[in-house]
Amino acid sequence: MNAFVKKHDKDIIGILSGWDRIVFRGLIRLIANVTGMDKYLSMTGILLKDFREYARAKTAELILASGSKAEQAGRPNLYLYSSRTDKEQTALNIANQEGITDGLICILRVVEPCMTYEVRKNREKKILELQKKEGKCTFLYHYWFDPYFGFMGARIQTWFPFHIQLWMNGREWFAHQMDREGIAYHRVDNCFPWIADFNRAQVLMDQMHQTTWYEHFNRIADFLNPAHQAMFASFPLYYYWTSYQTEWATDVCFRTPKALASIYPQLVRGAISAFGSRDVLRFLGKRYPAQKSMEEVTSSYQVRQEGVRIKH
């Protein structure tokens, strides 16, 4: 990258590197496995024969609290009949139609696969046992304009163990920081073709590394389930957060479309000839999986209306 920038320095007005799309997961570690869940039920005095009703009651508390939050804010709480519905676009449409620029946009309810618990009889031991199972349950998708991260979304499983997945966009966060600093810029979707001060902008982008993630995630967890503390008042449970998917992007901004167009064909050829599918499979030093050796590994090149797409 450094050699490329140096070679085309006269045509480049700025470079921006930082987080793009980021997905995090939150789980309550104690109840995320059968052993821990058994221990939790024992400590709270819940018999296995009563687990089903106990779990249903907790689910009802979560759904009621979230629904009340949407009702108080005057925001839609919609049921989706298909999990294939583009939820993010649905939320953006609502925000555009109703002029929402702050706070909750909507809650979308949808039934999707999940991992949960059920109690089964062990006929050999003649006892009840708690087991994990694949099932389906209602997920609550929240979309909102966060005071710190900007537009973002999250979903919470409404059955034990109440997993959370949340996602945000580093570029969205970055735009908010530039607004606060008064730095002028031009934004097209997730790209910034022009920024008044690229050097200052990069300093701001780097500040995302200093985010107190844990504090923000706990705040968001309370937002997703306002009843959490009441649900677990007798035995407090807390979320543990991990990154699930992270994307890092480097934008190189050219002075004119003509300057980029003059080298664009070379960039495309280089992407398809100097880099391939096997390089992707060996990303970060990983060995090429032996079980994949007999499978087809392909790259594709397509020209579309928006531009060129190369996929390995």
Side-chain angles (χ1 to χ4, degrees), residues 17 50 133 171 177 205 232 247 277 281 291 300 310:
S17 293
D50 300 322
K133 73 160 188 174
R171 263 45 178 181
Q177 306 312 306
M205 192 71 184
F232 303 107
E247 295 180 4
S277 298
L281 291 172
Q291 65 270 23
S300 63
I310 294 174

Side-chain angles (χ1 to χ4, degrees), residues 19-279:
W19 296 112
D20 198 339
R21 182 174 178 270
I22 317 175
V23 182
F24 294 93
R25 281 178 169 173
L27 59 85
I28 304 172
R29 298 180 79 178
L30 177 62
I31 61 173
N33 57 81
V34 172
T35 301
M37 190 69 199
D38 264 326
K39 182 181 295 186
Y40 167 77
L41 295 175
S42 176
M43 290 178 174
T44 52
I46 305 300
L47 300 177
L48 288 181
K49 68 182 183 66
D50 300 322
F51 173 71
R52 182 186 293 271
E53 291 306 315
Y54 173 77
R56 284 179 175 174
K58 296 301 180 186
T59 293
E61 287 184 61
L62 192 164
I63 293 176
L64 178 61
S66 293
S68 298
K69 174 185 66 182
E71 184 176 356
Q72 292 171 7
R75 305 309 311 140
N77 183 2
L78 307 175
Y79 179 78
L80 302 180
Y81 291 94
S82 173
S83 60
R84 296 183 179 180
T85 300
D86 189 330
K87 304 168 192 66
E88 183 169 306
Q89 191 57 53
T90 298
L92 288 172
N93 290 342
I94 293 173
N96 292 332
Q97 293 167 6
E98 303 189 20
I100 305 299
T101 58
D102 183 56
L104 181 66
I105 299 172
C106 64
I107 296 177
L108 305 176
R109 310 188 314 275
V110 62
V111 175
E112 293 180 338
C114 71
M115 288 299 297
T116 186
Y117 298 105
E118 72 173 2
V119 175
R120 293 180 180 176
K121 290 182 179 180
N122 186 321
R123 299 187 181 279
E124 292 182 4
K125 297 181 181 180
K126 297 182 180 179
I127 59 172
L128 295 177
E129 289 183 337
L130 187 70
Q131 297 182 4
K132 254 191 172 182
K133 73 160 188 174
E134 292 184 9
K136 289 185 177 182
C137 76
T138 298
F139 284 83
L140 301 182
Y141 281 77
H142 294 65
Y143 290 93
W144 72 99
F145 288 103
D146 191 81
Y148 182 73
F149 294 110
F151 175 75
M152 63 181 300
R155 73 172 195 174
I156 183 168
Q157 180 175 321
T158 62
W159 286 78
F160 273 104
F162 304 113
H163 291 332
I164 289 175
Q165 184 166 298
L166 60 91
W167 48 92
M168 64 191 67
N169 192 304
R171 263 45 178 181
E172 171 76 8
W173 173 89
F174 172 60
H176 279 259
Q177 306 312 306
M178 288 198 293
D179 290 339
R180 293 192 182 109
E181 290 285 322
I183 299 176
Y185 62 89
H186 178 50
R187 182 180 181 181
V188 179
D189 193 18
N190 207 35
C191 179
F192 298 89
W194 175 81
I195 299 176
D197 187 342
F198 272 96
N199 291 332
R200 177 57 184 157
Q202 185 62 63
V203 172
L204 286 178
M205 192 71 184
D206 292 340
Q207 290 177 4
M208 194 173 193
H209 304 311
Q210 310 304 319
T211 297
T212 52
W213 299 102
Y214 185 79
E215 293 180 6
H216 285 291
F217 292 164
N218 286 342
R219 167 179 63 82
I220 290 170
D222 289 338
F223 172 72
L224 298 176
N225 180 13
H228 179 88
Q229 293 188 26
M231 288 167 59
F232 303 107
S234 61
F235 192 99
L237 296 173
Y238 305 97
Y239 279 94
Y240 178 81
W241 301 96
T242 57
S243 59
Y244 173 54
Q245 295 175 355
T246 58
E247 295 180 4
W248 181 274
T250 297
D251 301 335
V252 180
C253 301
F254 283 77
R255 195 172 303 280
T256 64
K258 182 179 179 180
L260 175 58
S262 65
I263 64 170
Y264 194 70
Q266 301 171 49
L267 295 176
V268 173
R269 284 197 299 271
I272 197 71
S273 62
F275 194 76
S277 298
R278 292 177 181 267
D279 298 300

